[in-house]
Amino acid sequence: MSAPRLGRARHPPLPRTASRRPGRAARLGVLGWTGAALVTVVLLVALVSLLWTPYPPQAADPYARWAAPGGSHLLGTDASGRDVLSLLMAGARTALLVAVLGGALAGLTGVLLGAVGALTPHRVRTATAVLIDVLLAFPTVLLAMLLASVLGGSLGVVIGAVGLGFGVTIARVLRGEFRTAAASDYVLAARAAGMGPVRILRDHQLPAVSGVLIVQLSWTMALAVLAEAGLSYLGYGAGPEVASWGRMLADMQSYLAVYPLTVLWPGLAVTLTGLGFTLLGDGLRDAGGRR
Amino acid sequence: MSGATGLVVSGLTIGINGERLLDGVDVAVAEGQRVGLVGGSGSGKSLTLRAVLGLLPSHAALGGSIRWDGVELLGAPERVLARVRGGEIGIVLQDPATALDPLRRVGAQITEGARRHHRVGRAGARALAVRLAEEVGLPSPADAVDRYPHELSGGQRQRVQIAAALSAEPRLLLADEPTTALDTVVQSQVLELLARLGRTRGLSTLFVTHDLAVLRRAADSASVLDAGRVVEHGPVERLLTSPVSATARALRDAARLTSWDGGRP
Ligand SMILES: Nc1ncnc2c1ncn2[C@@H]1O[C@H](COP(=O)(O)OP(=O)(O)OP(=O)(O)O)[C@@H](O)[C@H]1O
Ligand SMILES: [Mg+2]
């Protein structure tokens, strides 16, 4: 005797549409796509610079100092006769290196601190929340200067400062997201199915915060590009052997009155790259919000 | 007593932040029984179910006893609770809109319990998901398991929850107002499904509701809960025809208003 299957026969089959994860539709919007395009251009330039630049970026030609744009040096040369275009291209590499490694470190810091601040027993959780707030009040630039005074200025210091400094900001945002996820019915259901905390974190809570994390990472990478330029400009970042937009600005600013164009290029590069990551983050946030 | 099979909750008290939310609740579900727990909003029905699975917030103060097959679950180590959760006692939550993870495919959610308790592999999990989806009457089961919850209707999502609760083959199903969020036609279908699963799988159920008309189809006997106390207990038919407590009378009258079969005893 087969049990009656009420309801099954009456249901029409599911409509044949492609199955999609919510919020993953590519609806970045015009500004988001603009950001994505800017970031892609910078990435391509950085990749090309690994294989080819018009001149070796650090090759100084004492007979071609302050060469005017055009001719054999498309964007001219600087005070020691280095090709500005080559420096700019190699500078993209440095900016992206800091953005990617600093962003990764910040993401890791943010996820770890955020999870500990949200999912541990009451006391640990509260203590972590206080720690996050204290660290948040500590300026990232100051952190970098502190690190540099101990370790000496280097890109590693910039990456470390960006990772820790901005990681705390991410932690504060993710803490709230983790709390929301932890209080959700579906996490209750997962616990009721016998799943342990580690699996629930992996299968439910990390995916739940991933959308917000991606947006935060994009914004963090914008800040990382600005921080690298700023810290290298101040002398806490890239050494003289590394091509950096911040260093270019520092090197050229004394000649600003005479050769204004030379400052324009690295300034523009920093601005457009930072803007690219920011717009991309905005676009991702809006796409997620339209879930 | 200690050898008894099934669930025996006795004298359960729950206090949160100094407020006594449950006050000496007794409920028992023996093997194969269908027991109801009725009461108005805020009477402590959901708290009782969560307490059975040890899923109350850690700052809740608990008293009394919750025995499962004679084993005390109150204050039991996490290891014991993890075995019982899903593997021996499953739960279906009230709101199908929030009980499923929006970012996880239906099939993966259905088999979570099975993978946890029965070491089902990846391929086995998918086959099991399709089989369970079919058993609970999801349309196009092979297709449905690859969907995300937002692509299903409320009734379909509730079927997914039921499939998930069954995946590790528990012997007792806790149902927390599983039909309240559904329209009456779908409600009826889900009740039919639960009744069939009870028969085919030999499943006991503890069914929570505030609706006596629903209770009548889902349980044979029931306890009436009011402000954290059991005020009445008896066969469902008697609760409908001659309720003693004011709470049960009020629930009966409310059911007469909303149920299409009116006052038919
Ligand atoms: N985590 C909590 N902290 C404090 N109070 C709580 C908590 N959970 C529930 N309560 C309180 O306990 C009481 C009983 O809640 P419960 O969820 O068990 O009600 P219910 O009978 O399931 O009601 P409903 O039919 O509305 O779902 C309510 O007064 C509620 O405010
Ligand atoms: Mg409830």
Side-chain angles (χ1 to χ4, degrees):
Chain A
M1 180 195 83
S2 72
R5 300 227 157 166
L6 240 186
R8 197 159 72 92
R10 282 190 223 151
H11 278 299
L14 291 175
R16 299 219 140 270
T17 51
S19 181
R20 246 196 191 149
R21 215 175 134 137
R24 281 297 159 92
R27 286 173 302 183
L28 271 183
V30 178
L31 289 180
W33 280 114
T34 309
L38 281 172
V39 170
T40 309
V41 168
V42 178
L43 184 67
L44 286 177
V45 168
L47 287 177
V48 168
S49 82
L50 286 173
L51 303 172
W52 175 84
T53 47
Y55 294 84
Q58 301 291 355
D61 180 356
Y63 300 105
R65 299 171 66 224
W66 299 120
S72 57
H73 295 281
L74 199 59
L75 298 181
T77 60
D78 69 359
S80 44
R82 289 178 297 183
D83 182 56
V84 170
L85 180 58
S86 304
L87 277 173
L88 269 184
M89 288 176 72
R93 224 149 66 194
T94 310
L96 284 188
L97 183 77
V98 172
V100 168
L101 291 185
L105 187 61
L108 206 65
T109 309
V111 168
L112 280 178
L113 263 186
V116 171
L119 307 176
T120 48
H122 186 73
R123 277 198 196 156
V124 186
R125 189 165 89 209
T126 321
T128 310
V130 173
L131 177 73
I132 290 174
D133 284 340
V134 170
L135 291 177
L136 217 49
F138 200 83
T140 303
V141 175
L142 213 60
L143 177 66
M145 291 177 171
L146 221 82
L147 285 175
S149 69
V150 180
L151 305 169
S154 71
L155 279 185
V157 161
V158 176
I159 291 168
V162 162
L164 297 179
F166 299 141
V168 177
T169 312
I170 297 182
R172 197 195 46 183
V173 178
L174 288 196
R175 197 177 92 87
E177 295 293 316
F178 273 123
R179 299 263 332 132
T180 310
S184 69
D185 271 3
Y186 58 82
V187 164
L188 180 69
R191 289 171 68 203
M195 287 176 84
V198 176
R199 278 212 186 175
I200 291 181
L201 184 68
R202 187 194 66 189
D203 290 351
H204 295 287
Q205 290 167 332
L206 282 178
V209 306
S210 65
V212 171
L213 175 62
I214 288 171
V215 173
Q216 288 292 320
L217 280 181
S218 195
W219 286 336
T220 299
M221 286 163 95
L223 293 173
V225 169
L226 302 185
E228 186 272 317
L231 289 169
S232 298
Y233 173 87
L234 292 172
Y236 295 106
E241 74 288 353
V242 182
S244 150
W245 296 335
R247 273 204 84 80
M248 288 175 76
L249 281 171
D251 291 346
M252 291 168 180
Q253 66 167 350
S254 3
Y255 312 98
L256 178 62
V258 199
Y259 302 104
L261 264 187
T262 49
V263 184
L264 178 70
W265 299 123
L268 211 58
V270 171
T271 309
L272 288 180
T273 310
L275 187 68
F277 279 115
T278 305
L279 289 179
L280 180 59
D282 290 349
L284 288 169
R285 181 201 51 196
D286 294 347
R290 271 186 247 133
R291 239 171 233 190
Chain B
M1 299 288 96
S2 76
T5 57
L7 179 73
V8 182
V9 175
S10 46
L12 181 66
T13 61
I14 298 174
I16 297 183
N17 302 330
E19 200 182 340
R20 182 160 275 216
L21 299 173
L22 228 57
D23 195 3
V25 167
D26 299 322
V27 182
V29 189
E31 200 79 54
Q33 277 188 343
R34 303 191 308 156
V35 176
L37 193 59
V38 272
S41 188
S43 55
K45 307 181 296 288
S46 297
L47 282 180
T48 307
L49 295 193
R50 289 185 65 169
V52 168
L53 291 172
L55 292 176
L56 289 173
S58 55
H59 59 283
L62 293 152
S65 149
I66 299 171
R67 283 174 183 274
W68 171 246
D69 284 357
V71 177
E72 180 62 55
L73 293 185
L74 240 185
E78 199 59 22
R79 178 176 47 80
V80 174
L81 290 172
R83 181 169 50 77
V84 173
R85 287 179 194 145
E88 294 175 20
I89 304 178
I91 191 167
V92 176
L93 300 177
Q94 175 169 349
D95 189 353
T98 57
L100 298 175
D101 187 338
L103 299 180
R104 209 159 154 71
R105 288 184 197 275
V106 160
Q109 305 199 52
I110 288 180
T111 52
E112 245 167 24
R115 286 201 313 275
R116 160 70 183 76
H117 292 282
H118 301 313
R119 298 179 181 281
V120 181
R122 203 170 276 263
R126 199 197 137 81
L128 177 65
V130 175
R131 197 157 55 70
L132 284 165
E134 169 137 47
E135 185 177 351
V136 298
L138 275 175
S140 352
D143 182 27
V145 296
D146 290 328
R147 304 244 161 185
Y148 288 98
H150 75 279
E151 299 168 316
L152 300 180
S153 73
Q156 288 166 352
R157 283 183 222 166
Q158 206 56 302
R159 288 171 193 268
V160 170
Q161 260 213 91
I162 293 169
L166 296 179
S167 83
E169 301 186 348
R171 285 153 46 214
L172 170 64
L173 187 67
L174 309 177
D176 192 354
E177 308 200 41
T179 60
T180 304
L182 307 174
D183 74 53
T184 45
V185 174
V186 181
Q187 188 169 30
S188 177
Q189 292 169 352
V190 170
L191 287 173
E192 183 66 39
L193 168 66
L194 286 172
R196 169 164 64 76
L197 291 171
R199 287 195 306 274
T200 55
R201 286 181 167 249
L203 203 61
S204 338
T205 40
L206 178 54
F207 194 101
V208 161
T209 179
H210 61 258
D211 186 340
L212 286 188
V214 166
L215 184 73
R216 203 161 147 235
R217 296 180 56 182
D220 304 309
S221 70
S223 296
V224 181
L225 209 56
D226 179 38
R229 289 168 186 271
V230 175
V231 292
E232 191 170 351
H233 174 85
V236 171
E237 287 305 322
R238 196 203 36 82
L239 290 177
L240 275 164
T241 49
S242 48
V244 179
S245 62
T247 314
R249 272 203 303 276
L251 289 169
R252 194 245 346 236
D253 295 342
R256 278 197 174 151
L257 285 177
T258 57
S259 164
W260 57 268
D261 64 355
R264 205 180 70 189

